[in-house]
Each structure stands twice: as structure tokens, then as C-alpha cells.
Amino acid sequence: QAALRGKNVISLAVSPSNSKSLLAGTYDGLLRSEDGGLTWRPATGVVPKAATASKTLRSKAVAASSGVRLPDAKILDVRFSTAAPNMIWVATSQGLFESVDNAGSWRKVQGPVGGRTVHRVILHPTDQNWIALQAATRVYVSSDHGVSWNETAVRAGQRRRSRAPCC
């Protein structure tokens, strides 16, 4: 727990395939525990430099040999995919990131916000290609694993009764 001492935890996620595997988003980056929160270590992995959304990435064949680490940025939201348990999405103060190998490597998602702050990410429970994100007052949805994005008519903070396809 020493790794969490003095940290402001913003977001916490539990792996759908292992309840002892936790990720904590903090102001200083992403931390991981594999023992139910007893010990923590950085979960920054490697970010492939030239990665873009492609069939290769969706088939979990991410090249981790070149790149930089997940930035030590403010981690505002972290989600494990229930559709693909090794897939993790992280909303940060420097954009949206995805790992398809359980945080071993990362790619920066080239989406509608670029490197600007992403506040929330929502994943469909059974369709790994459906993703929504909130950036400032805008909400964007992708149905093709982040290759293309559409801005929704609903602005973040608005109250509207609707049935989203995921939740």
C-alpha cells in the first residue's frame, strides 16, 4: 500500500477475469495491484510510437519493442473491457490510451480530441468495438474500435432519458 500512500486515487478498476487484479488512476499515473490492493507498482508499459487503430491492434498483436511509456499524466478514468478482459482503456489529461495485452504495452488512440484531456471512457459490455468518451462538454462514440468517432447530440452534464446501447 505504500505506493498509494499520499496519492489521490481518481479512478479504480477491477479486472473482470481476476478480482485481485486492480488498476488505480492517480494524479501521477497508473498503478497496478495483482494481490487485491496489498502492493502496487506502476502500470505504464510501453506505448508503440507509430501505432494507429488497425486490424493488427484489434487482433492483439501490438508491437511493444519501440515506443515510450504511458505518460505520467493524470489518469481520470480506467476501464477493463468485459468483452476482451486483456483490453484496458485509460482516459488521461493527455488523451485516450488503449492496451490489448493487460497493460504490457499501450497505444495512444488518435481520436476526436487528440492529446487533449479525456474525462471518461465507457465500453460496451459485449462489443469490444463500441467505445464512448467524454472530453470537456462533448461526448463522442465509436462503433469501430476508435477508427472513427461521431459527436453525439447530448452534451456532458445534460439530463436526457435515453437508452444507450451499452448501459
Side-chain angles (χ1 to χ4, degrees):
Q1 286 177 315
L4 284 182
R5 190 164 305 187
K7 301 279 186 192
N8 289 317
V9 176
I10 303 167
S11 182
L12 188 65
V14 179
S15 169
S17 61
N18 177 1
S19 62
K20 292 190 178 234
S21 180
L22 309 172
L23 290 171
T26 73
Y27 282 106
D28 304 318
L30 188 64
L31 299 173
R32 163 171 240 129
S33 174
E34 293 297 335
D35 56 13
L38 296 175
T39 60
W40 294 87
R41 63 179 170 78
T44 53
V46 175
V47 181
K49 286 182 181 173
T52 58
S54 69
K55 290 181 183 177
T56 302
L57 286 169
R58 281 178 274 178
S59 68
K60 300 176 179 56
V62 175
S65 58
S66 66
V68 295
R69 296 162 52 92
L70 183 66
D72 291 331
K74 187 185 298 183
I75 307 296
L76 299 169
D77 198 13
V78 57
R79 305 283 175 149
F80 282 94
S81 170
T82 56
N86 286 329
M87 188 178 296
I88 301 166
W89 290 81
V90 178
T92 79
S93 58
Q94 296 180 22
L96 183 64
F97 292 83
E98 175 199 25
S99 172
V100 294
D101 60 2
N102 206 16
S105 61
W106 296 90
R107 78 170 177 104
K108 186 169 187 174
V109 176
Q110 300 303 316
V113 297
R116 294 188 311 260
T117 299
V118 175
H119 297 278
R120 295 278 175 261
V121 60
I122 304 294
L123 307 176
H124 192 283
T126 59
D127 181 357
Q128 69 182 18
N129 292 316
W130 192 95
I131 306 146
L133 66 85
Q134 175 205 345
T137 60
R138 303 197 186 296
V139 177
Y140 300 91
V141 175
S142 173
S143 59
D144 58 9
H145 202 88
V147 173
S148 62
W149 295 87
N150 294 307
E151 185 177 348
T152 66
V154 177
R155 298 277 190 229
Q158 282 184 329
R159 293 183 183 261
R160 178 177 170 185
R161 292 188 177 182
S162 67
R163 299 204 184 263
C166 74
C167 36

